[in-house]
Amino acid sequence: MTSQIPDAIYYLGRRCQLMATPLEAYFERGAARPELDCSYSALWRGYIATWRLEGGQLFLVHLRPGMADAPRLTIVTLFAGQGRKVLASWFTGRLRIPAGRCLASLDGGFMSAHEHETLVDVLEGRVIAERTLALAAIPMAAWPAEVMGDEWG
């Protein structure tokens, strides 16, 4: 499932959009999902998380509900006793961090491609590989599946 409102991530000293939802893996592992208003289709997950790549690790650094009138949601309420940032040890997967002009979009959200796409592979919260693709320099038909996904086919 995609969402049109992405999380955010601090990467190389700047705040970027994150075309991934690492916190969903936490809930998929059985953690209790907070009761949040998910009626807004552009924010089906009900929250917006902010992440930071630091020292080769992925940290959750801020969490808020997606709707102004939703119940209070913070890192402290979800991860009691774990401090101001939480290592995303539950997450294994790929992070997509877009930069530059949007070159193509199917829904204005995650199904978009930008001039530069950084792909960061994470294993249990630790970065294991990272690469940046310069999509503006190659024809759209040659864009890799990591960016395009099955939905573009």
Side-chain angles (χ1 to χ4, degrees), residues 3-142:
S3 175
Q4 294 182 1
I5 299 175
D7 282 352
I9 188 165
Y10 287 96
Y11 176 71
L12 299 178
R14 61 188 178 97
R15 184 179 169 100
C16 305
Q17 291 184 336
L18 176 61
M19 301 304 182
T21 53
L23 192 54
E24 287 304 300
Y26 179 72
F27 299 129
E28 288 169 5
R29 286 187 167 196
R33 178 183 287 278
E35 292 292 325
L36 298 169
D37 180 6
C38 299
S39 60
Y40 183 47
S41 65
L43 192 57
W44 57 266
R45 64 192 185 279
Y47 63 84
I48 298 173
T50 303
W51 305 87
R52 182 180 300 277
L53 282 173
E54 181 179 284
Q57 297 178 312
L58 177 65
F59 292 95
L60 175 63
V61 296
H62 186 73
L63 186 61
R64 68 176 179 87
M67 304 297 283
D69 58 349
R72 183 164 167 76
L73 176 67
T74 66
I75 290 176
V76 174
T77 59
L78 191 60
F79 297 95
Q82 292 195 35
R84 297 182 64 126
K85 66 180 184 179
V86 176
L87 175 65
S89 59
W90 64 84
F91 180 72
T92 295
R94 175 165 287 152
L95 306 175
R96 270 187 58 225
I97 305 169
R101 183 174 50 92
C102 182
L103 301 174
S105 177
L106 285 182
D107 70 1
F110 284 21
M111 290 307 304
S112 60
H114 293 74
E115 290 177 305
H116 302 279
E117 297 270 346
T118 299
L119 306 176
V120 180
D121 292 328
V122 177
L123 176 64
E124 297 176 347
R126 290 170 172 65
V127 175
I128 58 171
E130 184 176 332
R131 67 185 171 129
T132 299
L133 306 171
L135 296 183
I138 55 178
M140 184 177 178

